[in-house]
Amino acid sequence: MSVNYRGDLIECKLQSRSRGLYESGTWACELLITLPSSSTTTPSSSATEPCDDAYELGRMVFDRQEYDRCAYFTKDSQTREGRFMHYYSRYLSAEKKRLDSMAEALPPTPMNSNDKITSLFSEMRFEMNNRLINGQLTDGYLLYVYGMTLLKLDLIEEAIDAFAMSVRFEPLCWASWQQLAQTVDSKTQLDELDLPTHWFKKFFLAAVYLELALNEPALNKDAIDIYTSLAEIFKGSCYIRSQLAEAKHNLKNFDQAIDHFDSIRESDPYRLNSWDIYSHCLFLKGSRSKLSSLAHYANNIDPFRVETCICVGNFYALRGQHQKAAQYFSRSLSLNPRHASSWILMGHEYMELKNIGGAIMSYRSAIECNKRNYRPWYGLGQAYDILKMPSYSLYYYYMARSLLPHDPTMIVAVGETLERLGRHMEAIKCYWKAGGTALTKLAQLYVAKEEDDKAAASYSDFIEAVERDKNAASYSTEVANAHKFLAEYHFKRKDYKLAHHHAQICQNHVETRDTGKRIMKEISELAKGGMDITFLALQ
């Protein structure tokens, strides 16, 4: 059975536009313009569809007040409507920028409960029950609104049921698919959902894998595989490339993520979606000039978009201007108080400014927005570390580790806190499990306990691990100290061959050069004194 991609997307677009679901409609339009014109079909509804897909995308983003994008997509339109939209959107863009320049940023809005939401929930639940009793509960779009109301009241399980029922009744309701992807919090919960076998489900699965990949990194590959296969159908789709870039970002393949974002910027230069992730990649790569260019460009498009504020904030953070960075992250929160990443970034800046109370407040707010993100839990652990409250730190590090159980950074954080609390046996287990550079901490703990044999074994394992690591150069200091300990350890035990080997390597590092020279000199003197150290002849 052939799949009617164009017809389904047109229907999704029309249904979304008629209900004001512009994000869903824009998604459908972005995919539509990637399909070849020969695949044109009629939608299942009775509405007629203009053949100018670029105009339709421009019209959709116009309703979202993305006037520069509208002008960009309608610039080649030859229809009367298209020419009007091109010039009118350019006029509105200029007027919006003039008014925006007169506005001032507001402080973040507190996230208080809303009595109106509770009243709305009561009314909708009454109507849903009546429809269910009368066998009329078939409106997938109404179920979407009901699900959003449940989410606002933190009734997560009920909301998931509502969204799942919504897509069963209306598989073309992308808004429900999208929200469901953002709400499911585990692979087990995903597998238990009863969902229709519609091709929209592929986009949903890839999106939910990407959401869960922050705490289950292996799911990034599953998301990449699905998006790569979809890219064969929707060639050049900016949405798909953006999702692939986010997956690469999660895998810390920042160069590849930046390449994806660069290509998106060439084909859709006014698309600000995911530029917060784009700017974060540039921040982590230390690309100051490129991040500066991106921040200025985003600010010229729309200074009052969350993505723009984060771009500018990341630029100032990279320059070490943490007060200004905090101001822009504050502005992003005034635009969207439920944006978890903005709260996390605000917490990071407060940490840089030594405002530990502000950092704790920000990280707690991030957790209110998204409990599945390990970063605010880890940030709280660091904050309480600074306050010298290790029992509190341990709790938050445990929470971060529960979300990312195999990440060495989380395991080491738990181990260090356990060590500070004097729980050395538990700390040893953590360091051993973390491996890598954590083996040096394990060795140091053994040294403190005067268990030199175990310390030597840990340092030896660490050196072997580093030799297998492509980033061995970044562990130079730890490697030098490991060889220093082993040189002294083997010298004391009169294993001069191994002592000589490690002392030679010590001489290659500034911090251990003197120790290496001293041990090699002592071994040479022993040889001159008549001791049989035959291996020296082979050096």
Side-chain angles (χ1 to χ4, degrees):
M1 182 178 176
S2 61
V3 178
N4 186 1
Y5 295 112
R6 177 173 285 274
D8 286 346
L9 288 171
I10 290 173
E11 180 70 11
C12 173
K13 178 193 67 178
L14 295 175
Q15 294 294 342
S16 298
R17 183 171 59 187
S18 67
R19 290 170 173 81
L21 298 172
Y22 295 118
E23 185 174 351
S24 176
T26 302
W27 172 83
C29 286
E30 285 187 333
L31 293 178
L32 268 171
I33 66 172
T34 66
L35 292 174
S37 57
S38 59
S39 62
T40 302
T41 58
T42 56
S44 58
S45 71
S46 58
T48 59
E49 165 62 16
C51 62
D52 189 347
D53 292 325
Y55 163 77
E56 283 297 309
L57 176 54
R59 183 69 179 84
M60 196 67 70
V61 298
F62 177 88
D63 290 338
R64 297 176 64 187
Q65 297 185 15
E66 295 184 62
Y67 301 126
D68 287 321
R69 285 189 81 192
C70 178
Y72 177 78
F73 282 109
T74 56
K75 67 180 185 298
D76 296 325
S77 176
Q78 298 303 312
T79 64
R80 294 175 60 185
E81 294 86 351
R83 299 313 297 159
F84 170 82
M85 290 301 300
H86 174 70
Y87 292 115
Y88 186 52
S89 59
R90 286 172 61 185
Y91 161 76
L92 290 178
S93 172
E95 186 66 9
K96 182 176 184 295
K97 288 181 174 62
R98 183 184 69 81
L99 295 174
D100 286 346
S101 67
M102 299 167 60
E104 293 182 357
L106 299 173
T109 315
M111 295 179 291
N112 296 325
S113 59
N114 193 333
D115 292 338
K116 292 183 179 180
I117 292 294
T118 304
S119 174
L120 175 62
F121 163 69
S122 299
E123 291 181 30
M124 290 203 72
R125 182 175 59 178
F126 180 76
E127 181 170 345
M128 294 291 112
N129 288 336
N130 283 342
R131 284 173 175 263
L132 186 63
I133 293 171
N134 297 325
Q136 299 175 343
L137 188 61
T138 58
D139 190 337
Y141 290 95
L142 192 60
L143 281 164
Y144 164 74
V145 181
Y146 185 54
M148 292 301 293
T149 306
L150 290 165
L151 274 186
K152 290 293 184 184
L153 296 173
D154 290 325
L155 300 172
I156 308 300
E157 294 296 330
E158 293 87 341
I160 289 174
D161 291 340
F163 292 132
M165 190 180 298
S166 169
V167 297
R168 286 200 299 273
F169 286 134
E170 184 50 76
L172 297 179
C173 181
W174 174 247
S176 286
W177 287 109
Q178 186 179 39
Q179 194 59 56
L180 187 59
Q182 295 171 5
T183 309
V184 171
D185 64 5
S186 70
K187 184 72 162 56
T188 303
Q189 192 177 51
L190 172 65
D191 294 337
E192 292 173 351
L193 293 177
D194 179 17
L195 301 172
T197 54
H198 190 274
W199 67 269
F200 272 27
K201 187 177 179 179
K202 290 183 179 179
F203 278 100
F204 161 75
L205 288 175
V208 76
Y209 289 157
L210 210 52
E211 287 286 331
L212 298 178
L214 192 63
N215 303 319
E216 299 180 55
L219 292 177
N220 279 299
K221 185 180 183 302
D222 295 329
I224 289 172
D225 289 343
I226 296 175
Y227 282 128
T228 301
S229 66
L230 289 168
E232 294 296 317
I233 302 168
F234 304 97
K235 298 183 185 299
S237 165
C238 288
Y239 170 79
I240 293 175
R241 281 183 288 174
S242 177
Q243 298 294 94
L244 285 169
E246 184 172 346
K248 296 296 184 181
H249 167 269
N250 292 346
L251 291 169
K252 296 181 169 46
N253 295 334
F254 302 121
D255 289 326
Q256 294 181 31
I258 291 169
D259 288 342
H260 279 298
F261 281 122
D262 287 344
S263 67
I264 295 169
R265 190 174 171 186
E266 288 179 8
S267 56
D268 191 350
Y270 298 100
R271 188 183 195 272
L272 294 177
N273 304 54
S274 299
W275 276 26
D276 50 340
I277 299 172
Y278 190 6
S279 65
H280 188 241
C281 292
L282 295 173
F283 172 85
L284 293 172
K285 293 295 292 183
S287 302
R288 181 178 294 192
S289 60
K290 193 168 184 178
L291 182 53
S292 171
S293 172
L294 187 74
H296 280 94
Y297 192 81
N299 200 56
N300 286 334
I301 295 173
D302 189 347
F304 292 98
R305 274 279 292 266
V306 168
E307 295 86 349
T308 297
C309 295
I310 292 178
C311 280
V312 179
N314 279 330
F315 167 67
Y316 281 122
L318 185 58
R319 292 183 60 179
Q321 295 177 267
H322 300 295
Q323 190 65 52
K324 284 189 175 181
Q327 289 174 1
Y328 275 92
F329 295 139
S330 175
R331 177 182 290 185
S332 73
L333 288 166
S334 72
L335 297 168
N336 182 4
R338 300 289 299 179
H339 196 261
S341 291
S342 294
W343 282 115
I344 293 169
L345 292 170
M346 177 72 88
H348 293 347
E349 295 311 304
Y350 279 142
M351 290 284 277
E352 293 287 347
L353 294 166
K354 312 302 182 187
N355 182 353
I356 307 304
I360 290 173
M361 182 210 71
S362 298
Y363 291 137
R364 290 188 186 280
S365 296
I367 290 169
E368 284 185 43
C369 298
N370 184 0
K371 294 181 177 65
R372 298 175 301 173
N373 193 325
Y374 74 90
R375 292 189 296 165
W377 295 105
Y378 183 73
L380 282 170
Q382 290 181 309
Y384 283 107
D385 259 346
I386 294 172
L387 295 175
K388 300 188 184 304
M389 301 171 70
S391 296
Y392 283 85
S393 293
L394 184 61
Y395 169 75
Y396 291 113
Y397 284 143
Y398 268 137
M399 292 300 297
R401 184 182 172 185
S402 70
L403 294 170
L404 208 61
H406 305 296
D407 187 271
T409 303
M410 304 299 117
I411 300 172
V412 169
V414 172
E416 289 175 336
T417 310
L418 288 168
E419 185 178 350
R420 282 193 287 275
L421 289 168
R423 295 159 63 175
H424 291 160
M425 292 307 298
E426 294 173 81
I428 286 171
K429 291 178 182 178
C430 287
Y431 294 147
W432 184 258
K433 183 173 183 179
T437 55
L439 291 173
T440 64
K441 296 182 179 296
L442 178 61
Q444 290 163 10
L445 189 52
Y446 279 133
V447 170
K449 291 166 65 67
E450 298 182 353
E451 298 182 27
D452 288 355
D453 292 341
K454 292 181 178 179
S458 299
Y459 274 129
S460 297
D461 290 341
F462 165 69
I463 290 171
E464 289 179 12
V466 169
E467 288 173 351
R468 296 191 299 268
D469 196 322
K470 295 179 181 178
N471 299 316
S474 61
Y475 307 132
S476 175
T477 301
E478 292 88 347
V479 169
N481 290 328
H483 282 291
K484 176 184 175 181
F485 176 87
L486 290 171
E488 294 175 331
Y489 171 82
H490 290 299
F491 184 81
K492 289 177 184 177
R493 281 152 183 76
K494 299 182 180 180
D495 189 343
Y496 299 118
K497 183 174 181 178
L498 281 174
H500 187 273
H501 166 73
H502 291 292
Q504 272 191 318
I505 298 175
C506 283
Q507 291 186 97
N508 298 329
H509 301 272
V510 175
E511 52 267 58
T512 58
R513 185 171 296 159
D514 292 341
T515 301
K517 286 180 178 180
R518 175 179 57 79
I519 292 175
M520 290 187 71
K521 182 179 179 181
E522 291 179 10
I523 293 173
S524 297
E525 289 175 352
L526 289 172
K528 290 176 183 178
M531 186 174 288
D532 183 18
I533 306 179
T534 54
F535 75 90
L536 286 175
L538 302 175
Q539 301 305 316

